[in-house]
Each structure stands twice: as C-alpha cells, then as structure tokens.
C-alpha cells in the first residue's frame, strides 16, 4: 500500500507500527506515541521522518534505508543508532537520548547539520567523515569543543589518507 502525501499518526498512544503503510510519498510522523520499535513501519519515506518523544524507543531498527529529507529521533531512549537510515537527504536529529557514541549513524547525511545534543556522548565515532556541515553536540558527557575537535582531526586524517591512497 502507498500513500501519495503525508502520513501523520502522532499522539495516538500507538505501541506498534505493524500493519503500517509501507510507502509514504510525503512525510511520516509517528511521534508522541508508545513505540518500542519501528519494525513494521514504512520501508520508504520520500520526505521527512519523525519518531520523536517515544520514551520506550531504544533502537532505530525497522527504519527505512533512505529518507529523502530530514530525520528526527529526539527525546526517546535511544542507546544506539543501529538501524538508522543509511542515507538522509536533509539534517539528522537525535537530541535528548542516551547515546554514548554515534556508531550506527547514517553513512551519508546531505543536510547542513547533525544535532546530537543532550546525550551522554564521549565520542562522535560513527559520524560520516565526509560530512561538510556542522555538528551540534552541546550538553554531553564531554564538552562540545572536545567532541568537535576530535571529529575535525578524524576528518583531516581521513582526507590525508585518501590523498595518499590515490597517488
């Protein structure tokens, strides 16, 4: 089944996405529910995907592989980004969770920003090293300046390594 527009099922106390429409040509919003899993949800979302404020959601398993625009998983209980989309066409949000690293983050993020504020991050490991935008990572276990500095150094070393290989 396919929907040619947006699908908004937010704020309905839903506990499962089983039986959900599989293709959404617009945006999908399942925020403010009681979801423990995204399994059974859409396998394709052309625009934005919102799963904010699902307090029992600990993983992104069941997410589509590709989101056409912005992806938001704020204010959940995520301990890992495993299962997150491989590609996000816009900004990526995972604020206010229980993340300690960014392992499992999308391999490609085409937006201007990655937002990972108010977690328990001690590392940005897992973020794509070719991301050109800004990373907003305040209010974590390590100070934002430290996290950004280590990430910038990793990006620099990655570029240098690619140059050596291509010679």
């Amino acid at each position: 089944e396919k929907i040619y527009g947006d699908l908004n099922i937010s704020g309905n106390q839903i506990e499962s996405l089983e039986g959900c429409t599989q293709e959404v040509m617009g945006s999908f919003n399942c925020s403010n529910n009681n979801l423990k899993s995204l399994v059974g949800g859409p396998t394709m979302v052309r625009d934005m995907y919102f799963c904010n404020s699902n307090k029992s959601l600990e993983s992104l398993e069941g997410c589509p592989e590709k989101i056409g625009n912005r992806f938001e998983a704020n204010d959940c209980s995520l301990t890992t980004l495993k299962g997150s989309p491989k590609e996000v066409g816009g900004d990526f949000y995972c604020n206010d969770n229980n993340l300690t690293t960014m392992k499992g983050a999308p391999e490609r993020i085409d937006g201007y920003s990655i937002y990972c504020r108010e977690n328990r991050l001690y590392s940005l490991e897992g973020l794509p090293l070719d991301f050109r935008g800004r990373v907003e990572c305040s209010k974590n276990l390590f100070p934002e300046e430290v996290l950004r500095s280590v990430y910038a150094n990793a990006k620099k070393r990655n570029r240098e390594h690619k140059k050596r290989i291509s010679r």
Side-chain angles (χ1 to χ4, degrees), residues 77-145:
S77 295
L78 298 177
T79 57
T80 179
L81 292 176
K82 185 178 177 190
S84 73
K86 299 272 187 244
E87 291 181 41
V88 174
D91 294 341
F92 181 79
Y93 294 75
C94 59
N95 296 316
D96 198 19
N97 281 289
N98 296 314
L99 301 169
T100 56
T101 73
M102 296 296 286
K103 287 180 184 176
E107 296 168 6
R108 180 176 175 161
I109 300 171
D110 291 333
Y112 296 109
S113 300
I114 296 170
Y115 297 90
C116 50
R117 293 181 278 222
E118 298 186 52
N119 280 286
R120 296 175 20 228
L121 293 174
Y122 62 83
S123 168
L124 296 179
E125 182 181 358
L127 288 183
L129 294 176
D130 58 354
F131 178 68
R132 296 179 182 260
R134 68 180 179 184
V135 178
E136 297 290 329
C137 54
S138 61
K139 298 183 182 175
N140 276 291
L141 188 60
F142 280 23
E144 185 169 31
E145 310 81 54

Side-chain angles (χ1 to χ4, degrees), residues 9 12 44 51-52 56 68 74 81 121 131-132 137 140:
I9 56 172
N12 286 300
M44 204 256 314
C51 57
N52 301 310
S56 298
N74 299 311
L81 292 176
L121 293 174
F131 178 68
R132 296 179 182 260
C137 54
N140 276 291

Side-chain angles (χ1 to χ4, degrees), residues 18-35:
E18 293 294 332
C20 190
T21 301
Q22 293 300 291
E23 293 183 51
V24 178
M25 298 295 136
S27 295
F28 176 69
N29 189 346
C30 61
S31 298
N32 299 304
N33 281 301
N34 298 322
L35 296 173

